[in-house]
């Protein structure tokens, strides 16, 4: 009866179904809303190049870590880490000790809230070792979905506005005023946020094959079709080529340390890495699938979608002499103004919001599925009860984000609590949730996953998992020491005395990704200046 009992776990119906579902998770508001505006703010082509480097250096290796961890253990992130964690892990103890000491330090400096929290975390690491990483991933699912669904709610609201002809602004001032008015309207925000959560819950309710996979197979091709149609319209506007060259020709003088960090953080967010979403989806994959090719395809589709979104937006923005650095409101402020200047403008705007809704929905369901899978596996809940429970809690949390979009005015008690604990400088609960997940939880989750797979599970164990269904992801000798493949039975075969993919991957997850993430992270918290 239960999907959660081992061996009976529900699996994807087909390889393509899995790839579309995983690409659906990756392709979301991050690609269509966030990527264009952070590219616009950070100089265009140069930022795109940085982003592509981060995707290759960190995104692909960590994607393979998460998928192989999921498939090997056939469990949700908590169960996956627990299944592989050894009885004693020196590395976990070391990390736990550092955290406990930092907690003590903070207590001494009278930062009681964060100090106590870190002490608790340190103790949890001593007690549960790496399983804490899986738990943190599930928690991150809660946090991200609670504010993600609020933005998705705006998208739905704007779609209806566009249908009613309510977005025919003459200039961006009018558009900004309308955006501020709408997002300040609590019942409007909450109504559409709950609607979005309901849509996610309906899909996840159907299960892996007949819910997530079925809808991904319908929605993902539709998403790409819509993207191409909008690009065609955008690129045929007079003056559109200025936008294309903004996106594609890098100006290296525009590269800044902030841009590097943003690109790195965004690589995690856009690929749904660092919180166990891909571990969860990987746990529904059969041994026949080639995880190496799947990872490349998922990352490739996600990158393609981001670039296509850029090609849909910037030509239109430049054709009508609008500024590309409009920030988070770029889509909501600039696009309606731009599109209004062409025939059938309202139709194009509505189509764009449909596109964004689809992208948000397939990502939202993956965020919810992480929580649902954890409740099913760990608490032995039925899928329907897990969906009901997690959907309701996240919807309520989202309501708090919706009532505190740009100020804490409506949540003074929560503000005080968070300020005492974290000393938060964020301007609202919405900002707090965004900041804590994108800047802290995801990069730290990615770092821990990469360390765990590279050093605890071991590259050898992970490569053995990836070998199922991927014979060409091969075995090496040349750098076997560095990459952790020294004891691999294939390493003496002279035919393999070259630097193969398996070895490169091992080096990346053991050294390159952890070092890059750590540097970026230290810079972020102000302990190191790049
Ligand atoms: N990748 C999604 C986006 O780009 O919008 C966001 C996301 C989905 C992040 C699922 C994390 C996740 F687990």
């Amino acid at each position: 009866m239960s999907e959660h009992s081992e061996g009976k776990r529900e699996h994807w119906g087909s390889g393509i179904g899995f790839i579309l579902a995983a690409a659906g998770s990756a392709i979301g508001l991050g690609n269509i809303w966030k990527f264009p505006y952070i590219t616009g703010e950070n100089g265009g082509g140069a930022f795109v190049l940085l982003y592509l480097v981060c995707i290759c250096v960190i995104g692909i290796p960590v994607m393979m870590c998460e998928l192989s961890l999921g498939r090997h253990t056939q469990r949700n992130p908590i169960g996956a880490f627990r299944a592989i964690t050894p009885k004693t892990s020196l590395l976990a103890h070391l990390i736990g000790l550092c955290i406990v000491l930092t907690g003590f330090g903070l207590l001494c400096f009278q930062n009681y809230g964060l100090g106590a929290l870190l002490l608790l975390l340190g103790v949890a690491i001593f007690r549960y070792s790496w399983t804490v990483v899986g738990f943190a991933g599930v928690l991150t699912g809660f946090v991200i979905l609670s504010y993600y669904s609020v933005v998705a709610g705006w998208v739905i609201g704007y779609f209806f506005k566009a249908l009613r002809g309510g977005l025919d602004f003459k200039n961006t001032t009018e558009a900004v005023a309308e955006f501020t008015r709408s997002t300040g309207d609590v019942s409007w925000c909450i109504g559409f946020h709950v609607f979005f959560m309901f849509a996610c819950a309906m899909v996840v309710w159907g299960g892996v094959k007949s819910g997530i996979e079925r809808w991904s197979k319908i929605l993902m091709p539709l998403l790409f079709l819509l993207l191409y149609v909008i690009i065609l319209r955008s690129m045929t506007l007079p003056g559109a080529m200025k936008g294309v060259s903004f996106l594609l020709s890098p100006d290296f003088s525009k590269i800044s340390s902030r841009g590097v960090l943003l690109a790195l953080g965004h690589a995690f967010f856009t690929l749904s890495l660092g919180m166990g979403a891909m571990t969860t989806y990987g746990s529904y994959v059969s041994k026949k699938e080639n995880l190496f090719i799947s990872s490349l395809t998922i990352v490739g589709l996600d990158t393609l979608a981001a670039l296509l979104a850029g090609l849909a937006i910037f030509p239109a923005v430049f054709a009508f002499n609008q500024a590309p650095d409009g920030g988070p409101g770029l889509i909501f402020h600039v696009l309606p103004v731009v599109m209004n200047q062409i025939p059938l403008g309202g139709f194009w705007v509505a189509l764009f919001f449909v596109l964004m809704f689809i992208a948000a929905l397939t990502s939202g369901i993956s965020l919810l599925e992480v929580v649902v899978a954890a409740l099913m596996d760990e608490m032995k809940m039925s899928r329907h009860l897990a969906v009901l429970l997690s959907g309701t809690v996240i919807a309520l949390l989202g309501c708090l984000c919706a009532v505190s979009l740009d100020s804490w005015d409506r949540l003074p008690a929560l503000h005080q609590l968070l300020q005492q604990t974290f000393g938060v400088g964020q301007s609202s609960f919405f900002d707090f949730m965004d900041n804590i997940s994108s800047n802290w939880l995801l990069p730290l989750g990615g770092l821990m996953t990469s360390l765990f797979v590279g050093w605890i599970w071991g590259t050898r164990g992970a490569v053995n998992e990836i070998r199922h269904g991927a014979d060409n992801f091969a075995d090496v000798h040349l750098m076997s020491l560095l990459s952790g493949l020294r004891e691999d039975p294939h390493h003496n075969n002279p035919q393999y005395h070259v630097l193969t993919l398996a070895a490169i991957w091992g080096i990346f997850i053991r050294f390159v990704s952890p070092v890059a993430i750590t540097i970026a992270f230290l810079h972020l918290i102000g302990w190191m200046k790049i």
Side-chain angles (χ1 to χ4, degrees), residues 221-285:
L222 189 64
L223 180 132
F224 275 98
L225 183 77
L226 287 179
L227 254 179
Y228 281 115
V229 172
I230 295 171
I231 288 177
L232 218 64
R233 171 65 278 194
S234 185
M235 299 259 281
T236 46
L237 293 168
M241 282 308 140
K242 275 187 281 176
V244 178
S245 84
F246 174 76
L247 188 70
L248 298 182
S249 43
D251 171 0
F252 291 103
S253 67
K254 298 250 172 69
I255 291 189
S256 65
S257 69
R258 184 176 171 269
V260 179
L261 292 171
L262 255 165
L264 185 78
H266 189 61
F268 278 105
F269 187 82
T270 191
L271 293 174
S272 307
L273 295 175
M275 55 148 287
M278 290 300 164
T279 307
T280 306
Y281 275 18
S283 73
Y284 307 134
V285 176

Side-chain angles (χ1 to χ4, degrees), residues 32 154-169 175 178 226 229-230 233-234 237 312-313 316 320 329-357:
I32 298 176
W154 301 344
V155 170
I156 304 170
Y158 260 62
F159 165 71
F160 287 118
K161 276 185 202 287
L163 278 191
R164 279 188 281 114
L167 298 180
D168 52 351
F169 312 119
E178 173 63 18
L226 287 179
V229 172
I230 295 171
R233 171 65 278 194
S234 185
L237 293 168
I313 292 159
F320 291 99
L330 185 71
I331 299 276
F332 296 96
H333 303 161
V334 178
L335 211 72
V337 177
V338 163
M339 292 297 188
N340 261 326
Q341 304 182 37
I342 57 178
L344 287 177
F347 165 76
W348 292 107
V349 178
L351 207 61
F352 199 89
F353 285 116
V354 173
L355 169 79
M356 273 173 80
F357 169 68

